[in-house]
Amino acid sequence: MKPVTTDLCDAYEDRLAAGTLRVMAPVFRAFGKQDAFAGPAATLKVFEDNSLVRTVLETPGQGRVLVIDGGGSLRCALVGGNLGVLAQKNGWAGIVVNGCIRDTAELDACDLGIRALAAHPQKSQKRNIGQSEVALQMPGAVVRPGNWIYADADGVLVSDEQLEG
């Protein structure tokens, strides 16, 4: 199913009001071949260090979306072309980054959806520092492991449970 975030917002106004469906702030740019994607969230909190991003993307994605809180840093990239290929190969549906990506042409060739704040040519540090499967404060919405992510050209939604669209 290709999510249509506007239809989901209209159909689930009660959940928006209750806070069980949340809309991320409209700050993300789209990359990757898939303009719309959905799946349960795997979460990662890092800052200017993408070593754990690789570790997670090396595992079977099983249609999940990796949500990375990079602290909003605009000083380096957390995901590049090699990691995009790895995510595609391992069955990840998408990646949402509160931070930057690089190798945009390579990522745009990957069959997955990617949302990030911006592109940046510099790679990150490799210190193996970060936390996985923790609640994240992303722009405009909290994301917990297992929440459902729905993304398309109109925005990114976070739901406490899977929605019928």
Side-chain angles (χ1 to χ4, degrees), residues 74-113:
L74 300 176
R75 299 191 302 201
C76 65
L78 294 174
V79 176
N82 291 337
L83 293 182
V85 169
L86 189 61
Q88 175 184 304
K89 183 183 90 166
N90 288 327
W92 290 84
I95 303 171
V96 179
V97 186
N98 182 19
C100 296
I101 55 90
R102 68 187 212 156
D103 303 322
T104 59
E106 293 174 38
L107 290 175
D108 285 344
C110 292
D111 192 22
L112 68 153

